[in-house]
Every structure is written in structure tokens, then in C-alpha cells.
Amino acid sequence: AKPSFFYQNNTMNFLSNLSSSRLGILSELTLRIIFALLIFSHGEGKLSALIAEPETPLRVIQNLAFFGEMPLFSSWLAAILETIIIPILILAGGATFLGEKAKTLSTLGGLLATALMLNIILNFHIGVLEETWTEFKYQLSLLAISVYFLFK
């Protein structure tokens, strides 16, 4: 019985030390990098389409409540937010040398991403496509990460 207890105790100590080690920064850094890449990839096609035809709004935007009333502006706004602004803010939020400014940048990135993902989910996936939550799990994941950075 003693070796089993010893093994469990060592495992618990190892896990406790691992979660409180300096390597813990890797979990947030990894989340920041992957989230920035996912948001960027979410908007990359939009931006490419707009660069190819700058006067043509995205069809997906035209179907949305509120944003459909200003489709060209909304198309550019969504594309720039997704490919440039949100990824930069989220990544800069991890730059500890920026001090308190890093938190502000991260919070702003989280706010913009949360607003964007709520709009995409509610107005497009539910409002236009009439999907159930199981059909937009990816977007729900991005929303959850957005909220994390909003309040982190």
C-alpha cells in the first residue's frame, strides 16, 4: 500500500508544481498565438475578396441585420478587424514589457472579438442560416476565447 500512496503523492506534487511553474506562461502565450491565427484565418478570405473587388461588399454581410444597411463599410470593418486589429491587440496583450498597456490592449482585443463573434453567431448562424449550436461549434469556441481575453 505504501508504494501506491507514494506514487499518488509524487504525481500530485508533480502536477501541482507543473501548473504553478514559470512554464505556465506558455499556456496563455499558446492561446494568444492560436487565437490570433484563427481570427486572422477567419477574415483572410474576406480581405482577399475585398482587395480584389474593393467596391463590392461581401454577400455574407448584406444578409445581416444592421450591417446589411452599410454593406461596404461593414465588409471592410469585419475584414480589417479579423485580419489585422484583433490579432495585433491579442498578441500585444501578451507583451509583458508594455506593463498595464498590455492588459488594456488585450481587453480591447477581447471586446472587439466578443462583439464580432456574437454578431456572427446571432445574426448570421442563427439569424440567416438558422443553424443549431452544434453547427457553429467553431464560432462558439472563438467566442469563449474572446470572452477570456475580454476579462483576463
Side-chain angles (χ1 to χ4, degrees):
K2 194 166 186 143
S4 176
F5 174 76
F6 177 76
Y7 175 75
Q8 288 175 347
N9 198 26
N10 279 344
T11 302
M12 297 289 249
N13 286 338
F14 171 75
L15 294 175
S16 178
N17 289 336
L18 182 63
S19 69
S20 62
S21 74
R22 289 187 180 180
L23 294 176
I25 189 89
L26 290 177
S27 61
E28 184 179 326
L29 183 60
T30 302
L31 190 61
R32 285 184 186 282
I33 292 169
I34 298 302
F35 181 66
L37 285 171
L38 290 173
I39 289 290
F40 173 83
S41 72
H42 204 257
E44 184 180 17
K46 294 179 186 91
L47 189 60
S48 295
L50 288 167
I51 289 171
E53 296 182 53
E55 297 298 320
T56 305
L58 301 169
R59 273 187 314 190
V60 67
I61 299 288
Q62 293 173 329
N63 295 326
L64 297 179
F66 179 70
F67 294 100
E69 296 172 22
M70 326 172 264
L72 189 58
F73 172 78
S74 298
S75 295
W76 279 100
L77 179 63
I80 291 169
L81 281 172
E82 291 175 355
T83 56
I84 300 167
I85 296 173
I86 293 171
I88 287 174
L89 291 171
I90 294 300
L91 291 173
T96 55
F97 65 87
L98 293 175
E100 270 305 301
K101 290 178 187 167
K103 169 116 176 72
T104 302
L105 295 172
S106 186
T107 300
L108 180 58
L111 175 66
L112 292 172
T114 299
L116 182 72
M117 292 316 302
L118 281 172
N119 184 31
I120 290 168
I121 291 168
L122 296 174
N123 289 329
F124 183 66
H125 288 280
I126 294 173
V128 174
L129 299 179
E130 298 180 352
E131 294 177 333
T132 63
W133 73 271
T134 58
E135 297 171 289
F136 51 86
K137 294 180 276 194
Y138 168 72
Q139 288 77 9
L140 286 173
S141 302
L142 294 180
L143 175 62
I145 299 168
S146 300
V147 171
Y148 171 82
F149 287 119
L150 172 60
F151 295 109
K152 167 76 175 111

